[in-house]
């Protein structure tokens, strides 16, 4: 039977398919094109168009590279299969051949199908390959670390920048070649160069066999390259007690992988030979030997050595590898730069020491984050659509004093708007307003926080003022807003009325008719296009959350958990963000889940809350990873010294980084391999009961004078306790002030002396009959006692503990600071203020004597021995001393006591001599 073909159908069908495919692709990529154009305008707005261009160019280059490579491999082999199959002589057909009734397609049609399929698949390969732009650019911009791995003697830069891309290339090539081999076989099958003989057997033509076996040979050559790259992966395995190549991997896997790589080359040669001289026994034998060596060499043999040789002698055999693990982990996390010191932990603290450390006492944080946010919300949100979402620690010079503060921005909550219309959300309610700031330890008589800055518009009680309170960019915002529109923007409420304003900054993308169309398509909003309020003078603000904004400028960096707000010397609100460079390719370094095994705080990024401008500053110029990115994005990152000095004074050590370093240091402070193996001095971060639940202590900021320090400074600290014990073993401090920023100190306690830890102090608080009775009484009267963070505060060579206690009604949301617990040694006190608790703990003798000496003299006791003027002067000094005591001014308190003592001494002398 003759099959009649329609020449017109055959000629037009591929063209129709191509048109349909093109239309589908345009529909698929049109949305991405619109987003891309909008992003280009955004990068122009913030001044980082270099980042956009570099990323786009890199994506296009990698897309072109992988797309072209795929097309060359796939189309080349399939086109060759079509050409070779056309010259095949028909195979001998016996009676048991399964006949294919439909004749094979013609050469022209097959070639068109192959071409179109190759182009489509190459397009998808290019899209997938575009994601490797970063790996390729890092590969091309390798920077040496200056440190070599201990197993292969290669610079670590090879493992961080080059090895990942090489591994991807090898895996990609294997996948593409396997897919190409299968597709090539399918072409030969369709072209009758492969026919089935009985259900389980088939027969190749010589050309088909040669082609397919040649592809298999290339696959084994790629497998040889894979085994060679696997050699370097030994530096990241975890077998036994060592992260990285231990005894088993160093002594068994190195030579096994080399043998497997060589054997892969031999198997490739076998397949290349039998492609022309067919002998099925030889490739089958080679494959069996290869598979057997893979199973035995990669699984059975190392497991046997680990179990029967290493485990019984682990400490001896693994010692040199443990030393490598310790050394490289300490380098990867910056632990090698930590300075160890001895802390005496004496119990000889006196009232004189308290007076001399008055700035430290003044800056002990009594307000926890959660209770303070609730209190701020009740006192300062003003309207329901304002929210305090975060509160942060910082330090400022307030009226000439170095003070630790808590600051929280008043942001706009779109979910709480009185009417959630499109106009309200995108044109009227566009920004939050101002911030509240207060000292960390000052409270009112009602147990509420005091304020340095409060209210709307911001009212300042000190030298610090906010001149630009609008917050267009913050931690929570809707997708986009329009400013400089015809409709005025809500600024802030005043009584029953509202104050409106017009944006005066440079933030946002300027609009035109065509840009209105673009953003209407991007945000799927016809209202944008139809609105008469949006003019050519208007601007659109999007990417308004701080982390979202920053992540587009530094796409390679990991951002710290939470941005923090700073009031600049000019009165503007500025967001600070810490960014890290990380990798999981640092040899022999213990990894941290979801992070990797190397970290550096390399970038300090500031974002203006009003205009959204971004500045990126380098805080670690030595980091090789950042150096590589600086080559990729030239001119983007500025030296830290170029930051405004007033802002630079607010740089702080990120708590996220110290938490990671502390967790690593609790094990890796042990540098002796024997001690490390036995975990003889393993530390842990203490746990404390906070707001009713036990949790690991977080690093906390405080202002204090370090032991042997010359003045008070802002530090981030965290204590340690021995594992499975509650006494303190050490405390870690990261310095935040210039020029010592970034230096980490660890103060070790004497091992022969017991120093109470946080949980032990908590237990003593709960066991104190007076305190426990008071707390039980409060909890039974419709109130709830909320325990604040337990803070260990080093003073001189001693440690005192401070814990605030808050009282809140069960149905209320206004926690009040009602008591402060102070513990030192065996003494413990709970009073209404920190000063009173300190007076009780340290005033058992010294303060008691001072107060006794400062007792108000009566006219009867001084009659005939002192005149009224002396009595009045002594009383005035006494009253002033009490005022200083209530405000926490210990130096002023001591000075007034000395003046009063001088007057009383003079009066006593007059009384004894009888002189007036």
């Amino acid at each position: 039977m003759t099959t009649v073909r329609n020449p017109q159908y055959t000629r037009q069908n591929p063209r129709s398919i191509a048109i349909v495919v093109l239309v589908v692709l345009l529909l698929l990529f049109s949305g991405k094109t619109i987003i891309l154009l909008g992003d280009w305008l955004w990068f122009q707005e913030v001044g980082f168009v270099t980042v956009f261009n570099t990323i786009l160019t890199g994506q296009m280059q990698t897309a072109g590279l992988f797309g072209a490579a795929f097309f060359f491999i796939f189309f080349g082999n399939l086109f060759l299969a079509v050409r070779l199959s056309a010259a095949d002589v028909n195979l001998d057909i016996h009676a048991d051949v399964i006949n294919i009734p439909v004749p094979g397609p013609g050469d022209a049609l097959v070639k068109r199908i192959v071409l179109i399929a190759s182009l489509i698949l190459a397009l998808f390969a290019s899209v997938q390959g575009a994601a490797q732009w970063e790996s390729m650019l890092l590969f091309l911009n390798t920077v040496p670390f200056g440190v070599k791995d201990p197993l292969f003697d290669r610079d670590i830069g090879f493992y961080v920048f080059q090895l990942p891309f090489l591994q991807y290339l090898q895996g990609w090539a294997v996948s593409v070649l396997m897919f190409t081999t299968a597709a090539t076989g399918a072409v030969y099958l369709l072209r009758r160069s492969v026919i089935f003989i009985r259900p389980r057997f088939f027969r190749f033509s010589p050309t088909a066999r040669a082609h397919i076996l040649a592809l298999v040979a290339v696959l084994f050559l790629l497998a040889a390259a894979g085994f060679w790259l696997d050699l370097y992966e030994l530096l990241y395995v975890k077998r036994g007690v060592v992260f990285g190549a231990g005894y088993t991997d160093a002594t068994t896997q190195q030579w096994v992988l080399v043998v497997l790589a060589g054997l892969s080359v031999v198997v490739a040669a076998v397949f290349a030979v039998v492609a022309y001289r067919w002998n099925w026994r030889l490739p089958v034998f080679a494959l069996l030997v290869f598979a057997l060596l893979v199973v035995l060499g990669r699984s059975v043999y190392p497991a046997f050595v680990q179990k029967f040789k290493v485990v019984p002698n682990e400490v001896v055999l693994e010692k040199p590898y443990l030393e490598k693990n310790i050394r490289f982990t300490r380098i990867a996390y910056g632990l090698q730069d930590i300075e160890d010191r001895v802390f005496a932990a004496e119990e000889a603290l006196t009232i004189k020491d308290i007076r001399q450390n008055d700035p430290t006492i003044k800056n002990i944080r009594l307000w926890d984050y959660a209770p303070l946010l609730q209190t701020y919300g009740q006192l300062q949100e003003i309207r329901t659509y304002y929210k305090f979402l975060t509160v942060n620690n910082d330090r400022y010079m307030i009226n000439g004093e170095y003070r630790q503060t808590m600051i929280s921005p008043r942001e706009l909550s779109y979910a709480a708007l009185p009417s959630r219309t499109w106009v309200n959300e995108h044109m009227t309610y566009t920004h939050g307003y101002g911030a509240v700031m207060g000292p960390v330890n000052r409270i009112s008589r009602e147990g509420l926080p005091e304020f340095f800055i409060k209210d709307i518009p911001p009212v300042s009680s000190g030298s610090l003022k906010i001149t630009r309170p609008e917050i267009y960019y913050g931690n929570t915002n809707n997708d986009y807003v329009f400013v400089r529109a015809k409709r005025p923007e809500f600024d802030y409420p005043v009584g029953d009325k509202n104050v409106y304003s017009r944006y005066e900054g440079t933030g946002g993308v300027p609009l035109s008719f065509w840009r209105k169309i673009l953003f209407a398509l991007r945000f799927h909003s016809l209202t944008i296009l139809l609105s008469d309020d949006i003019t050519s003078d208007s601007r659109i603000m999007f990417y308004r959350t701080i982390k979202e904004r920053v992540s587009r400028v530094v796409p390679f960096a990991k951002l710290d958990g939470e941005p923090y707000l700073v009031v600049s010397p000019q009165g503007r609100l500025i967001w600070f963000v810490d960014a890290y460079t990380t990798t999981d390719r640092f040899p022999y370094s213990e990894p941290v889940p979801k992070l990797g095994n190397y970290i550096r705080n390399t970038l300090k990024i500031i974002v203006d809350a009003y205009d959204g401008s971004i500045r990126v500053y380098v805080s670690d110029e030595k980091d090789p990873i950042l150096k590589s990115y600086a080559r990729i994005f030239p001119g983007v990152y500025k030296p830290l010294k170029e930051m405004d000095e007033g802002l630079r004074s607010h740089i702080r050590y990120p708590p996220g980084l110290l938490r990671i370093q502390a967790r690593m240091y609790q094990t890796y402070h042990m540098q002796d391999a024997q001690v490390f193996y036995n975990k003889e001095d393993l530390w842990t971060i203490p746990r404390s009961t906070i707001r009713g639940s036990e949790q690991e202590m977080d690093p906390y900021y405080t202002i204090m004078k370090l032991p042997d320090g010359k003045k008070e400074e802002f530090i981030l600290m965290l204590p340690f306790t021995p594992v499975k014990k509650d006494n303190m073993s050490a405390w870690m401090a990261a310095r935040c002030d210039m020029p010592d920023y970034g230096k980490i100190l660890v103060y070790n306690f004497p091992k022969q002396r017991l120093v109470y830890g946080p949980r032990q102090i908590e237990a003593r608080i709960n066991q104190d009959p007076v305190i426990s009775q008071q707390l039980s009484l409060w909890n039974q009267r419709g109130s709830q006692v909320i325990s604040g963070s337990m803070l260990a505060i080093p003073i001189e060579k001693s440690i005192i503990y401070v814990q605030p206690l808050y009282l809140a009604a069960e149905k209320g949301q206004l926690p009040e600071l009602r008591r402060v617990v102070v513990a030192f040694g065996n003494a413990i006190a709970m009073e209404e203020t920190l000063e009173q608790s300190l007076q009780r703990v340290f005033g058992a003798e010294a303060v008691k004597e001072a107060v006794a000496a400062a007792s108000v003299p009566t006219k009867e006791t001084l009659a005939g021995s002192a005149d009224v003027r002396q009595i009045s002067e002594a009383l005035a000094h006494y009253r002033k001393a009490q005022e200083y005591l209530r405000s926490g001014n210990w130096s002023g308190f001591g000075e007034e006591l000395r003046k009063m003592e001088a007057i009383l001494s003079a009066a006593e002398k007059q009384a004894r001599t009888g002189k007036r």
Side-chain angles (χ1 to χ4, degrees), residues 257-542:
L257 287 170
V258 172
V259 170
L260 285 174
L263 184 58
S264 298
V265 175
V266 172
V267 174
V270 168
F271 276 96
V273 170
V274 299
Y276 299 98
R277 299 182 62 183
W278 175 246
N279 183 347
W280 65 269
R281 294 180 181 83
L282 189 59
V284 170
F285 177 75
L287 288 174
L288 287 175
V289 173
F290 178 80
L292 184 64
L293 186 57
V294 168
V295 173
L296 293 178
R298 296 289 281 159
S299 299
V300 179
Y301 178 45
F304 180 85
V305 171
Q306 181 72 21
K307 183 174 182 178
F308 294 102
K309 183 174 183 179
V310 176
V311 172
N313 305 282
E314 197 168 44
V315 65
V316 176
L317 296 179
E318 299 286 26
K319 183 178 179 180
Y321 304 101
L322 277 173
E323 290 173 348
K324 297 178 178 66
N325 178 207
I326 294 170
R327 177 181 169 231
F328 280 84
T329 299
R330 288 174 62 87
I331 293 173
Y333 293 95
L335 308 183
Q336 82 282 6
D337 297 325
I338 294 177
E339 183 179 346
D340 284 292
R341 295 184 180 179
V342 176
F343 191 78
E346 299 173 351
E347 294 188 6
L349 204 60
T350 65
I351 192 64
K352 181 180 179 182
D353 298 321
I354 298 295
R355 292 173 186 164
Q356 290 177 346
N357 290 272
D358 180 56
T360 298
I361 300 298
K362 273 187 177 179
N363 289 286
I364 294 176
R365 178 171 60 83
L366 300 181
W367 284 104
D368 265 14
Y369 302 103
L372 188 61
L373 272 178
Q374 284 185 302
T375 304
Y376 278 172
Q378 290 294 311
L379 298 178
Q380 283 289 308
E381 280 183 355
I382 311 297
R383 292 289 189 272
T384 57
Y385 42 78
Y386 286 129
K387 295 294 179 184
F388 292 104
L389 301 172
T390 60
V391 61
N392 302 111
N393 281 91
D394 203 355
R395 70 284 198 198
Y396 292 84
M397 291 298 295
I398 307 290
N399 298 329
E401 287 188 276
Y402 197 47
R403 301 299 299 270
Q404 184 182 0
T405 63
M406 306 286 277
I407 182 171
S408 182
R410 187 184 291 106
E411 299 197 54
L412 189 66
S413 172
Y414 288 89
L417 288 178
S419 176
R420 296 196 63 182
T421 64
W422 186 91
V423 172
N424 277 347
E425 290 191 27
H426 299 287
M427 299 184 70
T428 303
Y429 293 90
T430 56
H431 56 275
Y433 201 89
V436 294
M437 178 193 292
V440 294
N441 71 328
R442 294 281 294 276
I443 57 174
S444 66
R445 292 183 179 180
E446 296 79 18
L448 300 175
E450 291 190 3
F451 295 98
F452 289 145
I453 299 174
K454 63 178 181 177
D455 295 343
I456 298 177
V459 177
S460 175
S461 61
S463 56
L464 195 64
K465 299 184 184 300
I466 297 178
T467 59
R468 179 55 77 182
E470 300 92 339
I471 302 176
Y472 284 88
Y473 302 89
N475 285 315
T476 177
N477 288 297
N478 65 348
D479 291 337
Y480 61 94
V481 294
F482 292 94
V483 296
R484 294 189 189 174
K486 290 182 181 179
R487 190 177 296 271
E489 300 173 47
F490 169 79
D491 210 21
Y492 58 88
V494 176
D496 295 333
K497 298 181 180 180
N498 294 329
V499 175
Y500 293 89
S501 66
R502 182 177 173 84
Y503 184 69
E504 300 174 352
T506 58
V509 176
L511 292 175
S512 65
F513 174 74
W514 294 108
R515 291 182 179 184
K516 281 181 66 175
I517 296 176
L518 173 67
F519 288 110
L521 292 171
R522 178 189 176 107
F523 295 111
H524 309 290
S525 174
L526 186 62
T527 310
I528 295 176
L529 189 61
L530 300 179
S531 175
D532 293 331
D533 292 322
I534 302 173
T535 67
S536 58
D537 190 43
S538 301
R539 290 170 173 261
I540 181 172
M541 295 178 173
F542 58 104

Side-chain angles (χ1 to χ4, degrees), residues 42 45-48 472-473 503 506-508 541 546 549-550 553 572-575 605-617:
W42 182 85
E45 173 214 339
V46 296
F48 286 89
Y472 284 88
Y473 302 89
Y503 184 69
T506 58
M541 295 178 173
I546 300 303
R549 200 168 182 83
V550 168
V553 173
R572 298 180 73 93
L573 298 178
I574 306 294
W575 293 99
I605 304 155
I606 62 174
V607 182
D608 192 295
Y610 184 67
D611 61 28
S613 59
I614 306 171
R615 297 291 181 271
V616 183
Y617 297 94

Side-chain angles (χ1 to χ4, degrees), residues 848-870:
K848 183 178 179 181
E849 294 174 1
V851 172
S855 298
V856 182
T858 64
K859 292 183 179 180
E860 290 78 8
T861 57
L862 289 179
S865 63
D867 57 22
V868 177
R869 181 182 57 80
Q870 289 174 309

Side-chain angles (χ1 to χ4, degrees), residues 33-78:
T33 302
I34 290 170
I35 293 175
L36 195 67
L37 289 173
D39 284 352
W40 177 63
L41 294 172
W42 182 85
F43 275 98
Q44 283 188 322
E45 173 214 339
V46 296
F48 286 89
V49 72
T50 300
V51 175
F52 178 86
N53 291 338
T54 302
I55 293 175
L56 183 60
T57 303
Q59 290 175 339
M60 292 175 64
Q61 289 174 342
T62 51
L65 173 67
F66 285 100
F70 181 91
F71 181 82
F72 175 77
I73 296 171
F74 188 80
F75 175 75
N77 281 280
L78 266 63

